[in-house]
Amino acid sequence: MTEQYVLGLQEIDETQVAVVGGKGAQLGGLSRIDGIRVPGGFCVTTDAFRRVMAEVPSVDELLDRLSRSDPDDRETIRTLSARIRRSIEETAVPDGLAAAITGALAELGEDAACAVRSSATAEDLPTASFAGQQDTYLNVVGSEAILRHVSRCWASLFTERAVIYRQRNGVDHRTVHMAVVVQRMVLPDASGILFTADPVTGNRKVATVDAGFGLGEALVSGLVNPDVYKVRDDEIVARTIAAKQRAVQALPAGGTREVAVDSQRQEQPALTDAQVVRLVRLGRRIEAHFGSPQDIEWCLADDGFQIVQSRPITTLFPVPESGDRENHVYVSVGHGQMMTDPMKPLGHSMWRLTAMVPMHEAGGRLFVDVTRRLAAPTSRAGLLDVLGKGDPLIRDALETVLDRDGFVPSLPDTGPGGPPAGGPPAPLETDPAVVTRLIERSETSVAALERDIRTKTGPALFDFLMEAFEEHKRVLSDPLSIQAIMAGMEATWWLNDKLLEWLGEKNAADTLTLSAPGNVTSEMGLALLDVADVIRPYPELVTFLQGVEDDGFLDELTKLPGGTEARDAIQAYLDRYGMRCVGEIDITRPRWGERPTTLVPVILDNVRNFEPGAAELRFEQGRRKAQEKEQDVLSRLRALPDGDLKADEAKRMIDRVRTFIGYREYPKYGIISRYFVYKRALLAEAERLVRAGVLPEAEDVFYLTFQEFHDAVRSNRVDERLVRQRKEAFRSYHALTPPRVLTSEGDALTGAYRREDVPAGALVGVPVSAGTVEGRARVVLDMADADLEAGDILVTAFTDPSWSPLFVGIAGLVTEVGGVMTHGAVIAREYGLPAVVGVEQATRLIRDGQRIRVHGTDGYVEILP
């Protein structure tokens, strides 16, 4: 195939990223849109870049060294990247290539002033914006100068920040190539940026225009504050006119200069209102062409707009597909499930198939549409109350949406209300046998699932699973189970409300629930202390575990003194809890049973930080504290007017909370137990596809939905391109922060606490476990990286049940996500850990190693000097 060094913009479209880079492809696409003017020009292709790189001396050796360097070793990267840039710039442009470029220049006009702009193949993509990583040169005049600046653009692929960005994002330097865009220079009266969606709120119906005088470099470099307009439905809804004291202008002989703006013009708008609206209409046309919100650079010359760049806005959280044009309000599932990471397609499709309410996917996260429940007064009040108890920030975000006139339709309450047919359920007695019966039902159901799935393969497995999902939902919606969960929660709320009213004591139930019986999640943390007890007496075992990297280590243990007992203890733990893992609602996440090395650091921390018998001692201490608290509360109540009545009521509720609060954790354990059974059967099916040559590796099925996996098994075919696209999309979702509440217009809302009863500078959250503690903050984003000492305070994004083994060794807890009844809060109370959850950006605002004070009773965190 003949190498093509130059292509005119009119010959290019947005599919040709590999040939002309992201910017060039977007400009080619732009030039094809009816009514959009793009300055004339051409692209120097990636063929030209490869031709030049082949001439650069010792570049292969330098690239090898660069690839091996640590992204944090700035000095090495600075030195190597500078050498590569210098080598490229000093390499003469080969004659044939130089002739192709000067020939294209002649068509623009021999002495035309041009903009020379880098266009890398990993730039301006839908899933990753590499904006600003490479160089642009404005007002370059003459073929010799343009050739020199083309070389500089090639070299700018290896600026220090571009190299570090690629290394941190796992992009191989050799896979990225540089094209160069050369365009006729526009000498504008005004220029700026147009975002076709509000980049702050995410609203897709509000466009934002930034405008200033002269060239756009003045805005991009921060030299001046722009005029800012917000436009919705062809109407300017907000404007800020800035004092624009400086501008950047082109010089006749080439280059640019900074100039002062005449004092009488400084506070004049750079655009008229009519021009702003016209520009936004052009932006909507561009957005429709590319199919996503755009970040557009524009110039105004002679009252005509020219577009010099357009790229996707990659920071917006995607909006769920609704299939209609109605307004919708979505609440995050992940914030309630304490797992806000993105889920792979098999993970979110299976959670949807086994969930009790319809869910919608966006950005790898799940959301529930609550629009209809917000529309009617009674259901709205109930929803706000339930969600507000779980997470006050969700309630605040929903109230913000409700305050917008007409966004949520107003509907009458449906039906007369009243008890459902057959009357209300019988009141639940405070009887531990209820919990025992529920657990037995769940265990019987899981055992039947394990027995019946063994013989199922191929399409029959998927038919069986669809039936199993119905049983899954039946267990989940068991009225007795829901009554037991609510009994524990309602008793907790009653105790907190009444003891605050009668005794002036906040969160009294926190102490009364210490070491409540039957909590499978808190038992899981204590059971790992017992495992440490088996290992602690054998130094060789401890040394061996410190070096473990391979998940097959269990069999190696038996070669060491005490190893058989250690292996048996760990295996027994995995038999009981091996289905758990971080992010366990995503079936694709590796379980402890699949990756037991995950538990090794926690076991070693327990060996180091605890004495033998710590599990039993911890549980007994908690139980005794709860008993003492109960006696204290009841005696103080009896001293009040009507004290015996109040004490009797409180005693009934204390018994009730201790009977049922532990069961709060069991249904999730049952769900995840079932998930592990499903997963093993599905992975066996994936291995069959690998053996049949349908898939390169079994875990590729994680990027298919359940239905697509079923189709693949029936047809023995998988769309490899789809799998690649899904992997790329999943990687990109990690950069997105999921909102608590999302609207169909794209507004991403996190809510606010609006409290004035906390010290200045404190980080506000939800008080979920009483007490105050000071200590060293350990900011841990991955449980496997935890290295905790006694007295440390764990600071993390979220804690689902799998984090509970860490709780036994810490003094306090701070999380970004959570509410009073989420798993981390329940376990923190059981262990008596002061805890504050729902602290926005806690892992960024608190530095690892800082001393902090956690106010678990009042719900805030102080960062200490």
Side-chain angles (χ1 to χ4, degrees):
M1 192 174 78
T2 308
E3 290 178 328
Q4 198 161 18
Y5 294 141
V6 170
L7 285 172
L9 285 182
Q10 297 292 340
E11 302 175 77
I12 297 164
D13 64 31
E14 54 269 35
T15 65
Q16 293 169 272
V17 172
V19 180
V20 294
K23 190 176 294 158
Q26 291 286 106
L27 283 167
L30 280 167
S31 67
R32 291 164 176 255
I33 305 172
D34 189 37
I36 301 299
R37 292 172 60 201
V38 175
F42 60 89
C43 283
V44 182
T45 67
T46 53
D47 281 347
F49 173 76
R50 280 187 286 269
R51 171 84 174 81
V52 166
M53 288 296 281
E55 306 277 327
V56 177
S58 66
V59 73
D60 281 331
E61 182 215 333
L62 290 169
L63 282 173
D64 285 342
R65 289 171 61 189
L66 196 59
S67 297
R68 289 195 301 268
S69 61
D70 186 324
D72 295 321
D73 184 355
R74 300 295 286 265
E75 193 53 46
T76 298
I77 288 175
R78 187 176 298 124
T79 303
L80 289 171
S81 58
R83 282 182 61 187
I84 294 171
R85 288 198 308 277
R86 191 164 57 247
S87 298
I88 294 170
E89 288 183 33
E90 290 172 355
T91 298
V93 179
D95 290 345
L97 173 50
I101 295 171
T102 53
L105 274 173
E107 292 183 31
L108 290 182
E110 197 69 39
D111 295 318
C114 292
V116 183
R117 312 169 72 195
S118 307
S119 179
T121 54
E123 178 183 55
D124 296 351
L125 306 179
T127 55
S129 177
F130 285 59
Q133 298 292 344
Q134 286 87 36
D135 292 348
T136 287
Y137 301 96
L138 299 178
N139 204 37
V140 183
V141 179
S143 57
E144 189 180 320
I146 284 171
L147 283 171
R148 190 167 63 251
H149 284 85
V150 166
S151 287
R152 286 183 180 173
C153 285
W154 287 330
S156 75
L157 190 64
F158 298 98
T159 61
E160 184 184 342
R161 63 181 173 167
V163 166
I164 290 171
Y165 190 94
R166 286 197 293 273
Q167 299 216 165
R168 288 199 170 139
N169 285 276
V171 178
D172 182 347
H173 300 299
R174 282 187 167 84
T175 63
V176 183
H177 301 114
M178 179 67 82
V180 182
V181 177
V182 180
Q183 281 178 288
R184 187 187 294 278
M185 187 71 192
V186 180
L187 304 178
D189 304 313
S191 57
I193 314 267
L194 160 63
F195 296 99
T196 63
D198 189 316
V200 177
T201 67
N203 192 302
R204 302 324 198 250
K205 293 200 170 182
V206 176
T208 301
V209 176
D210 289 2
F213 295 125
L215 291 166
E217 296 307 289
L219 303 188
V220 174
S221 65
L223 183 64
V224 295
N225 290 326
D227 297 341
V228 180
Y229 302 86
K230 291 192 183 293
V231 180
R232 183 184 177 112
D233 299 330
D234 283 352
E235 180 188 349
I236 295 173
V237 293
R239 66 163 58 73
T240 305
I241 306 303
K244 299 168 287 295
Q245 297 173 336
R246 314 292 292 169
V248 174
Q249 291 185 342
L251 292 168
T256 61
R257 71 171 177 187
E258 188 185 311
V259 297
V261 175
D262 185 281
S263 59
Q264 287 161 349
R265 281 189 75 212
Q266 286 178 7
E267 297 197 26
Q268 285 182 5
L271 298 175
T272 66
D273 285 3
Q275 286 170 333
V276 170
V277 171
R278 179 152 48 101
L279 174 62
V280 170
R281 284 179 184 160
L282 293 175
R284 293 288 178 219
R285 195 175 292 182
I286 294 168
E287 178 183 68
H289 176 83
F290 289 120
S292 67
Q294 298 287 301
D295 166 357
I296 298 165
E297 292 181 28
W298 55 269
C299 296
L300 176 70
D302 304 322
D303 197 38
F305 285 105
Q306 297 201 49
I307 305 301
V308 295
Q309 189 162 342
S310 184
R311 56 175 165 257
I313 307 175
T314 57
T315 54
L316 299 175
F317 199 87
V319 178
E321 295 281 343
S322 66
D324 61 37
R325 294 179 169 272
E326 303 295 317
N327 290 345
H328 294 270
V329 183
Y330 302 98
V331 169
S332 164
V333 172
H335 284 80
Q337 289 293 337
M338 301 295 282
M339 210 294 274
T340 54
D341 288 348
M343 298 167 75
K344 295 188 179 106
L346 186 62
H348 62 66
S349 68
M350 286 192 66
W351 192 258
R352 289 168 76 175
L353 285 167
T354 53
M356 301 309 299
V357 292
M359 293 180 180
H360 306 262
E361 183 271 335
R365 279 78 169 192
L366 291 172
F367 295 85
V368 173
D369 187 343
V370 296
T371 320
R372 290 196 69 78
R373 292 183 66 186
L374 287 175
T378 303
S379 59
R380 179 193 311 139
L383 182 72
L384 291 175
D385 182 51
V386 169
L387 292 178
K389 277 181 172 150
D391 184 340
L393 291 177
I394 290 180
R395 178 177 184 137
D396 183 81
L398 289 173
E399 286 174 339
T400 301
V401 177
L402 288 166
D403 286 342
R404 295 178 185 168
D405 286 344
F407 186 83
V408 176
S410 191
L411 299 173
D413 285 319
T414 52
L428 193 62
E429 286 184 49
T430 303
D431 181 359
V434 171
V435 173
T436 305
R437 191 158 73 250
L438 284 166
I439 290 172
E440 284 172 355
R441 278 190 203 174
S442 177
E443 288 176 344
T444 301
S445 176
V446 172
L449 173 68
E450 287 183 308
R451 182 190 66 237
D452 296 342
I453 205 169
R454 284 181 195 140
T455 56
K456 306 296 187 291
T457 61
L461 170 66
F462 290 83
D463 295 338
F464 171 81
L465 283 171
M466 289 305 291
E467 291 176 23
F469 296 163
E470 292 309 306
E471 166 67 3
H472 181 121
K473 288 193 272 192
R474 190 196 63 73
V475 171
L476 207 55
S477 61
D478 182 338
L480 185 64
S481 178
I482 293 166
Q483 271 188 287
I485 293 168
M486 292 308 299
M489 290 166 67
E490 285 164 356
T492 303
W493 296 330
W494 188 95
L495 284 166
N496 280 335
D497 290 347
K498 289 298 184 183
L499 297 181
L500 178 61
E501 177 190 335
W502 293 339
L503 299 176
E505 187 170 338
K506 287 182 180 176
N507 301 335
D510 293 359
T511 309
L512 293 166
T513 54
L514 286 171
S515 297
N519 186 319
V520 70
T521 308
S522 60
E523 287 167 1
M524 179 171 73
L526 295 174
L528 208 57
L529 289 175
D530 290 335
V531 172
D533 285 354
V534 175
I535 291 163
R536 191 180 293 106
Y538 300 100
E540 283 182 70
L541 280 181
V542 175
T543 303
F544 171 78
L545 289 173
Q546 285 167 343
V548 158
E549 290 180 3
D550 188 292
D551 284 313
F553 74 93
L554 284 175
D555 292 334
E556 296 294 310
L557 282 175
T558 56
K559 299 172 185 173
L560 299 167
T564 301
E565 297 91 322
R567 185 201 57 191
D568 292 348
I570 295 172
Q571 190 58 58
Y573 186 88
L574 292 173
D575 291 343
R576 173 87 167 128
Y577 304 111
M579 77 293 288
R580 310 223 80 149
C581 67
V582 173
E584 61 191 9
I585 68 170
D586 182 351
I587 198 170
T588 72
R589 291 285 192 103
R591 311 281 135 178
W592 293 343
E594 296 168 317
R595 197 170 291 173
T597 48
T598 309
L599 292 172
V600 170
V602 192
I603 294 170
L604 290 171
D605 281 351
N606 289 348
V607 168
R608 187 175 68 246
N609 294 333
F610 291 93
E611 295 297 319
E616 190 177 346
L617 182 66
R618 287 287 296 271
F619 187 81
E620 188 52 37
Q621 283 173 339
R623 196 181 62 78
R624 198 164 51 248
K625 277 186 191 170
Q627 271 184 336
E628 289 166 2
K629 184 68 176 176
E630 177 181 327
Q631 289 163 5
D632 169 60
V633 163
L634 296 179
S635 65
R636 285 158 62 201
L637 287 174
R638 286 194 184 96
L640 299 176
D642 294 327
D644 287 344
L645 188 62
K646 290 183 169 95
D648 288 347
E649 280 188 273
K651 172 61 176 161
R652 269 200 308 279
M653 286 300 175
I654 292 168
D655 289 347
R656 197 163 179 78
V657 84
R658 290 194 68 79
T659 298
F660 292 116
I661 201 65
Y663 180 71
R664 162 75 181 81
E665 291 293 299
Y666 195 85
K668 183 78 169 279
Y669 175 82
I671 291 170
I672 302 307
S673 298
R674 298 180 73 86
Y675 257 46
F676 199 25
V677 179
Y678 304 153
K679 182 178 186 180
R680 284 183 298 208
L682 288 169
L683 275 177
E685 206 55 47
E687 293 288 358
R688 276 188 275 278
L689 291 178
V690 172
R691 288 196 295 276
V694 177
L695 280 177
E697 49 190 76
E699 291 192 357
D700 282 353
V701 297
F702 294 167
Y703 298 92
L704 303 176
T705 65
F706 182 81
Q707 186 56 55
E708 289 165 347
F709 189 179
H710 189 182
D711 293 342
V713 167
R714 274 202 303 249
S715 66
N716 259 349
R717 278 203 309 275
V718 169
D719 183 345
E720 287 184 32
R721 194 168 53 89
L722 176 68
V723 171
R724 278 198 308 276
Q725 286 172 346
R726 294 268 179 81
K727 286 181 178 179
E728 180 58 40
F730 179 71
R731 274 194 293 273
S732 75
Y733 294 154
H734 282 90
L736 300 173
T737 301
R740 283 175 166 79
V741 171
L742 184 64
T743 74
S744 48
E745 290 187 349
D747 286 295
L749 298 107
T750 55
Y753 286 107
R754 308 183 198 282
R755 284 175 56 186
E756 295 176 1
D757 59 341
V758 297
L763 308 180
V764 185
V766 182
V768 296
S769 186
T772 301
V773 66
E774 280 185 29
R776 178 179 66 158
R778 296 315 308 264
V779 180
V780 180
L781 299 179
D782 183 339
M783 183 177 152
D785 298 333
D787 180 16
L788 299 165
E789 301 284 348
D792 283 347
I793 297 169
L794 175 62
V795 180
T796 190
F798 58 80
T799 59
D800 58 10
S802 69
W803 287 72
S804 300
L806 295 184
F807 285 22
V808 296
I810 57 176
L813 174 69
V814 179
T815 69
E816 295 179 341
V817 175
V820 176
M821 280 298 167
T822 45
H823 300 278
V826 172
I827 305 308
R829 287 194 290 273
E830 288 237 354
Y831 287 169
L833 299 175
V836 180
V837 302
V839 179
E840 277 289 285
Q841 298 190 23
T843 58
R844 294 177 209 170
L845 298 173
I846 300 170
R847 290 196 313 276
D848 187 53
Q850 276 185 318
R851 287 196 69 76
I852 61 174
R853 184 182 296 129
V854 177
H855 295 263
T857 306
D858 295 311
Y860 63 92
V861 180
E862 291 179 283
I863 299 174
L864 302 175

